[in-house]
Amino acid sequence: FAYGYSYDNPVALQRQLLTEFELSNVQYNLLYSIYAFPNMILPTVAGILTDKYGYNCFIILFFGLMVMGQALFVFGCYMDGMFYVLLI
């Protein structure tokens, strides 16, 4: 549940992001593409590492990274800083 919610969080906030940051639809789609691109590569790398070293430590690591990314996204939206939103 947490992964699905946090992954699709920018979609739920599309209208607010468009108005708050004064983005066009093209700019928003580019932002979302940059946001979603690592999810095509990282699952393969994470799967290989998890198979090699075990899943116990990686569950905590990946959950921590997910929480930090969400916190940075929320902080960027709160501070009106496009830099912080793009940093994730």
Side-chain angles (χ1 to χ4, degrees):
F1 174 74
Y3 175 76
Y5 176 76
S6 64
Y7 180 73
D8 290 333
N9 195 11
V11 174
L13 297 173
Q14 180 179 1
R15 186 177 309 135
Q16 289 84 0
L17 289 172
L18 288 173
T19 58
E20 189 69 29
F21 293 120
E22 298 175 356
L23 299 173
S24 68
N25 285 330
V26 173
Q27 290 172 321
Y28 171 78
N29 287 328
L30 178 63
L31 175 66
Y32 192 79
S33 296
I34 292 169
Y35 168 77
F37 181 73
N39 290 317
M40 292 187 281
I41 299 166
L42 291 178
T44 304
V45 174
I48 292 169
L49 290 174
T50 301
D51 287 342
K52 186 172 184 175
Y53 297 110
Y55 63 89
N56 289 331
C57 64
F58 283 102
I59 288 175
I60 295 169
L61 175 69
F62 294 144
F63 183 75
L65 289 173
M66 183 180 69
V67 169
M68 287 187 333
Q70 283 301 111
L72 192 58
F73 180 80
V74 170
F75 179 73
C77 289
Y78 179 73
M79 297 299 292
D80 292 334
M82 193 64 159
F83 172 76
Y84 297 109
V85 175
L86 287 174
L87 192 61
I88 60 169

